Amino acid sequence: MVALSGGADSVALLLLLKEHGFNVHAAHCNFHLRGVESDRDEAFCMELCQQIGIELHRAHFDTRTYADLHKVSIEMAARELRYRWFEQLRQDIGAAGICVAHHRDDSVETVLLNLVRGTGLRGLTGIKPRNGYILRPLLCVSRVEIEAFLTEKGQKYVTDSTNLEADVLRNKVRLQVLPLLRELNPAVSENIQRTAENLGEAQEVLDAVVGKYKDSNILELSELEKYGSSEYIVFEWLKNYGFNGNQVRQILDAECGGIVSSAMGYDVLKDRSRLIVEKTENYPQGVRNVTSRPSKRIVVPEEGTCGLDENNTFRVRKCAVYVSKVPHIATLDAGKVSFPLTVRRVEEGDWMVPYGMKGRKLLSDLMTDLKMNVFEKRRQLLVVDAQGVIVWAVGLRTDHRVAVGNQTKTVLEISFDSV
């Protein structure tokens, strides 16, 4: 199927595909943005398709209402509406692809626009000839060649008057910037397109490098030293989590323990010589270190099993005396622990007397000694008894004051189980 606007580009594409023996359907969108001109374009497409024997599918959109409702620009609204409808139509008629008429000049304009706005390497590679079912067969030809083809055929087309006004950035590039560049070099469009293709090959090489790390939430910065610079690879790795270029520079410049949050709900942590990504836990955005924060508390009133969340449970029971040797089970002197128990995360100022020690130790210092990263620290769970004693830093240490000893008659066994 061909996205047919009635302009020179889409008309040429429709004729070319028909001449080359493809079974072609045309699809026209009326966005009702240009008054009678929008209706003129639709009427032209209907007449053209009737003349050359091609089935035409039409859709009408209230584009302005959609833009207001979804808080997007008119341009973005039109794009979302048409591509959504194109895909649905493609499936309905069983088309192999959706052909759109972007040509070489469109790709060159895109490169220049991205350069003006600021972009990475990918933004300088121009428009891609294929994106899923979206196909762009005309990227190898210019607008001048398209118009010459239509003149030779004696084929008319319509002109969107808004494309003739230098009131938007793309039109300014097309109508003002590119003509000036052609005065410097008549082959500027060809040269920019060739450069974009070269950069596209370089992008493929970088994609292969980034692909080694894409399935991991940990990136070892030391491994990237062999590539000379790590910033671009880090950006490509982090962009899928919603991080932008400025945030990448923030996290690379941050001290160990710094965290940056993305708008998509992810945190990236700089942990010594590596970066770690995890889901955000509703902290403010920006670089920050772990400080005091409220934590969800679960009260365990007596022996039994309780769910912390859909993946984790706590089980508390009294049993014969023994000492646990596994980290997910704590054995305590039942006579020294008071119910109810509270399960919560570490908070600023928490301390305990780790088993085997006589003096108190801040949990923050204990976790640092164990070389836990910030994400691990903020996930750390504690079990606190009714007297406020931290009886167990889950998976790390029990408290010496409630440890099983020679006088213990009954053990309180607390187990932490993950599904």
mmCIF file of all heavy atoms in Angstrom, residues 14 25 47 69 142-143 165 193 226 262 273 313 366 371 374 382 404:
data_model
loop_
_atom_site.group_PDB
_atom_site.id
_atom_site.type_symbol
_atom_site.label_atom_id
_atom_site.label_comp_id
_atom_site.label_asym_id
_atom_site.label_seq_id
_atom_site.Cartn_x
_atom_site.Cartn_y
_atom_site.Cartn_z
ATOM 1 N N LEU A 14 3.392 6.000 -6.419
ATOM 2 C CA LEU A 14 2.264 5.164 -6.805
ATOM 3 C C LEU A 14 2.414 4.669 -8.243
ATOM 4 O O LEU A 14 2.227 3.478 -8.533
ATOM 5 C CB LEU A 14 0.967 5.966 -6.651
ATOM 6 C CG LEU A 14 -0.336 5.204 -6.865
ATOM 7 C CD1 LEU A 14 -0.587 4.230 -5.730
ATOM 8 C CD2 LEU A 14 -1.512 6.178 -6.998
ATOM 9 N N HIS A 25 -2.450 -0.807 -3.382
ATOM 10 C CA HIS A 25 -3.586 -0.074 -2.835
ATOM 11 C C HIS A 25 -3.060 1.279 -2.371
ATOM 12 O O HIS A 25 -1.914 1.393 -1.931
ATOM 13 C CB HIS A 25 -4.192 -0.806 -1.632
ATOM 14 C CG HIS A 25 -4.999 -2.002 -1.993
ATOM 15 N ND1 HIS A 25 -6.261 -2.235 -1.502
ATOM 16 C CD2 HIS A 25 -4.726 -3.053 -2.819
ATOM 17 C CE1 HIS A 25 -6.727 -3.368 -1.992
ATOM 18 N NE2 HIS A 25 -5.802 -3.895 -2.777
ATOM 19 N N GLU A 47 -9.823 10.864 -7.897
ATOM 20 C CA GLU A 47 -9.852 10.898 -9.362
ATOM 21 C C GLU A 47 -8.666 10.149 -9.956
ATOM 22 O O GLU A 47 -8.809 9.376 -10.918
ATOM 23 C CB GLU A 47 -9.859 12.345 -9.840
ATOM 24 C CG GLU A 47 -9.940 12.486 -11.356
ATOM 25 C CD GLU A 47 -9.946 13.936 -11.799
ATOM 26 O OE1 GLU A 47 -9.988 14.833 -10.928
ATOM 27 O OE2 GLU A 47 -9.890 14.186 -13.024
ATOM 28 N N LEU A 69 -6.409 16.751 23.079
ATOM 29 C CA LEU A 69 -6.728 15.695 24.028
ATOM 30 C C LEU A 69 -5.477 14.991 24.528
ATOM 31 O O LEU A 69 -5.362 14.656 25.716
ATOM 32 C CB LEU A 69 -7.671 14.678 23.374
ATOM 33 C CG LEU A 69 -8.173 13.529 24.255
ATOM 34 C CD1 LEU A 69 -9.011 14.073 25.405
ATOM 35 C CD2 LEU A 69 -8.987 12.537 23.428
ATOM 36 N N SER A 142 16.126 12.440 -5.960
ATOM 37 C CA SER A 142 15.880 13.797 -5.465
ATOM 38 C C SER A 142 14.497 14.273 -5.892
ATOM 39 O O SER A 142 13.838 13.695 -6.748
ATOM 40 C CB SER A 142 16.933 14.760 -6.021
ATOM 41 O OG SER A 142 16.756 14.907 -7.432
ATOM 42 N N ARG A 143 14.079 15.394 -5.308
ATOM 43 C CA ARG A 143 12.802 16.005 -5.678
ATOM 44 C C ARG A 143 12.834 16.433 -7.142
ATOM 45 O O ARG A 143 11.827 16.297 -7.857
ATOM 46 C CB ARG A 143 12.552 17.212 -4.766
ATOM 47 C CG ARG A 143 11.374 18.078 -5.162
ATOM 48 C CD ARG A 143 10.046 17.450 -4.851
ATOM 49 N NE ARG A 143 8.944 18.289 -5.303
ATOM 50 C CZ ARG A 143 7.721 18.229 -4.826
ATOM 51 N NH1 ARG A 143 7.434 17.345 -3.883
ATOM 52 N NH2 ARG A 143 6.764 19.017 -5.281
ATOM 53 N N GLU A 165 5.792 28.061 2.556
ATOM 54 C CA GLU A 165 5.964 29.147 3.508
ATOM 55 C C GLU A 165 7.089 28.813 4.485
ATOM 56 O O GLU A 165 7.081 27.745 5.101
ATOM 57 C CB GLU A 165 4.662 29.377 4.287
ATOM 58 C CG GLU A 165 3.471 29.701 3.391
ATOM 59 C CD GLU A 165 2.166 29.698 4.163
ATOM 60 O OE1 GLU A 165 2.217 29.504 5.400
ATOM 61 O OE2 GLU A 165 1.106 29.879 3.542
ATOM 62 N N GLN A 193 23.961 13.252 1.855
ATOM 63 C CA GLN A 193 23.356 11.922 1.897
ATOM 64 C C GLN A 193 24.421 10.836 1.951
ATOM 65 O O GLN A 193 24.282 9.847 2.690
ATOM 66 C CB GLN A 193 22.449 11.712 0.687
ATOM 67 C CG GLN A 193 21.735 10.370 0.639
ATOM 68 C CD GLN A 193 20.771 10.174 1.787
ATOM 69 O OE1 GLN A 193 20.423 11.125 2.484
ATOM 70 N NE2 GLN A 193 20.363 8.933 2.017
ATOM 71 N N LYS A 226 38.989 0.399 26.114
ATOM 72 C CA LYS A 226 39.631 -0.031 24.867
ATOM 73 C C LYS A 226 39.043 0.670 23.642
ATOM 74 O O LYS A 226 39.634 0.671 22.563
ATOM 75 C CB LYS A 226 39.514 -1.542 24.700
ATOM 76 C CG LYS A 226 38.090 -2.057 24.680
ATOM 77 C CD LYS A 226 38.054 -3.571 24.685
ATOM 78 C CE LYS A 226 36.627 -4.100 24.798
ATOM 79 N NZ LYS A 226 36.606 -5.589 24.907
ATOM 80 N N SER A 262 15.627 8.749 35.379
ATOM 81 C CA SER A 262 15.058 9.073 34.074
ATOM 82 C C SER A 262 13.560 9.261 34.191
ATOM 83 O O SER A 262 12.927 8.818 35.156
ATOM 84 C CB SER A 262 15.352 7.956 33.059
ATOM 85 O OG SER A 262 14.474 6.860 33.251
ATOM 86 N N SER A 273 33.664 1.591 39.422
ATOM 87 C CA SER A 273 33.991 1.635 37.994
ATOM 88 C C SER A 273 32.894 1.028 37.128
ATOM 89 O O SER A 273 33.146 0.605 36.004
ATOM 90 C CB SER A 273 35.301 0.879 37.736
ATOM 91 O OG SER A 273 35.144 -0.497 38.056
ATOM 92 N N THR A 313 8.213 -13.551 51.069
ATOM 93 C CA THR A 313 7.455 -13.844 52.286
ATOM 94 C C THR A 313 8.393 -14.012 53.477
ATOM 95 O O THR A 313 9.572 -14.375 53.321
ATOM 96 C CB THR A 313 6.632 -15.136 52.139
ATOM 97 O OG1 THR A 313 7.513 -16.239 51.856
ATOM 98 C CG2 THR A 313 5.603 -15.017 51.030
ATOM 99 N N LEU A 366 28.227 -0.876 58.378
ATOM 100 C CA LEU A 366 28.278 -2.319 58.146
ATOM 101 C C LEU A 366 28.117 -2.635 56.668
ATOM 102 O O LEU A 366 28.877 -3.446 56.104
ATOM 103 C CB LEU A 366 27.169 -3.010 58.951
ATOM 104 C CG LEU A 366 27.014 -4.519 58.724
ATOM 105 C CD1 LEU A 366 28.259 -5.268 59.182
ATOM 106 C CD2 LEU A 366 25.779 -5.049 59.451
ATOM 107 N N LYS A 371 30.914 -3.794 51.215
ATOM 108 C CA LYS A 371 31.023 -3.321 49.832
ATOM 109 C C LYS A 371 29.691 -3.401 49.082
ATOM 110 O O LYS A 371 29.645 -3.699 47.881
ATOM 111 C CB LYS A 371 32.113 -4.098 49.073
ATOM 112 C CG LYS A 371 33.499 -3.945 49.696
ATOM 113 C CD LYS A 371 34.572 -4.535 48.838
ATOM 114 C CE LYS A 371 35.938 -4.446 49.491
ATOM 115 N NZ LYS A 371 36.309 -3.076 49.877
ATOM 116 N N VAL A 374 24.810 1.292 46.459
ATOM 117 C CA VAL A 374 23.705 2.106 46.962
ATOM 118 C C VAL A 374 22.361 1.411 46.762
ATOM 119 O O VAL A 374 21.491 1.463 47.622
ATOM 120 C CB VAL A 374 23.703 3.489 46.281
ATOM 121 C CG1 VAL A 374 22.491 4.300 46.704
ATOM 122 C CG2 VAL A 374 24.982 4.239 46.626
ATOM 123 N N LEU A 382 15.340 -4.991 57.441
ATOM 124 C CA LEU A 382 15.664 -5.232 58.846
ATOM 125 C C LEU A 382 14.444 -5.848 59.532
ATOM 126 O O LEU A 382 13.310 -5.582 59.151
ATOM 127 C CB LEU A 382 16.018 -3.929 59.559
ATOM 128 C CG LEU A 382 17.126 -3.062 58.951
ATOM 129 C CD1 LEU A 382 17.260 -1.778 59.764
ATOM 130 C CD2 LEU A 382 18.445 -3.823 58.922
ATOM 131 N N VAL A 404 21.621 -17.033 69.727
ATOM 132 C CA VAL A 404 21.474 -18.336 70.379
ATOM 133 C C VAL A 404 22.730 -18.617 71.196
ATOM 134 O O VAL A 404 23.861 -18.458 70.709
ATOM 135 C CB VAL A 404 21.258 -19.445 69.323
ATOM 136 C CG1 VAL A 404 21.217 -20.811 69.999
ATOM 137 C CG2 VAL A 404 19.989 -19.184 68.531
#
